[in-house]
Amino acid sequence: MIDLETARREVNRAPSSPFADEFAELFARQGAAALERHGGGHHVTASCLVFDPIADSVLLNHHGKAQLWGQFGGHLEPVDVSLRAAAQREAEEESGLTALSWVSSAPIDLHVHDLSTAFGTCTRHYDVVFAARASVSQSPTVSSESIDVAWFSLTDLPSALMPDLPARLPGLFRAAAGAFSSDR
């Protein structure tokens, strides 16, 4: 299981974010419990934006509980040695793609969002967002947690996106593409 110091280091490597102070407060308040699904209603999650920079497209997951489209992600598990490892595991499990090219070891974004009652005792996720590159020619598969998984052009996104994702998605795509370009 990821330890608190590793999580702090990864969060601190993210680009400047209005949510950075909220992560620091969560870690100070809850300590290592902030990394556990059952450590309280507020906890850290890891996610991954899968994108194709050539096709200007993103691979999205129609989440079963949320009933909305979003990037791949979820809770940290005992097998995860880092937040990036958790994001990778989630992206591979939820998309069925295992040939993802990770664009950076650092997160591309930090985000905090409240959850609907469909998520039970989880009331707020402190999400650390990573990015991976794939091709629209790769065929994803739907996991048991999803209704659907599909590629979307940035200019033709589904209407039922996670609440603030329409505003965030262009910036996430630019951050992912920028990380990809700088790692080449």
Side-chain angles (χ1 to χ4, degrees), residues 171-182:
L172 291 174
F173 188 90
R174 283 191 303 275
F180 171 65
S181 295
S182 67

Side-chain angles (χ1 to χ4, degrees), residues 49 52 55-58 152-157 169-170 173-174:
L49 178 73
D52 182 334
D56 283 339
S57 296
V58 292
F152 294 94
S153 165
L154 286 177
T155 59
D156 190 24
L157 295 168
L169 200 50
F173 188 90
R174 283 191 303 275

Side-chain angles (χ1 to χ4, degrees), residues 81-107:
V81 296
S82 67
L83 296 172
R84 184 181 171 279
Q88 180 173 351
R89 178 186 47 73
E90 288 286 341
E92 290 176 354
E93 286 175 0
E94 294 177 356
S95 74
L97 301 181
T98 56
L100 298 171
S101 297
W102 291 85
V103 299
S104 172
S105 59

Side-chain angles (χ1 to χ4, degrees), residues 62-85:
H62 194 187
H63 195 276
K65 279 186 186 176
Q67 299 287 306
L68 297 167
W69 290 92
Q71 74 262 21
F72 303 99
H75 295 105
L76 310 180
E77 301 291 341
V79 298
D80 300 324
V81 296
S82 67
L83 296 172
R84 184 181 171 279

Side-chain angles (χ1 to χ4, degrees), residues 100-181:
L100 298 171
S101 297
W102 291 85
V103 299
S104 172
S105 59
I108 61 166
D109 191 36
L110 300 176
H111 189 256
V112 177
H113 54 272
D114 293 323
L115 303 166
S116 72
T117 56
F119 288 85
T121 59
C122 294
T123 56
R124 178 173 274 191
H125 281 169
Y126 292 70
D127 195 38
V128 183
V129 185
F130 293 84
R133 186 177 54 83
S135 170
V136 294
S137 65
Q138 292 175 270
S139 298
T141 57
V142 178
S143 77
S144 62
E145 295 180 34
S146 306
I147 296 168
D148 198 4
V149 177
W151 284 101
F152 294 94
S153 165
L154 286 177
T155 59
D156 190 24
L157 295 168
S159 59
L161 284 170
M162 298 279 182
D164 66 352
L165 198 53
R168 291 179 54 232
L169 200 50
L172 291 174
F173 188 90
R174 283 191 303 275
F180 171 65
S181 295

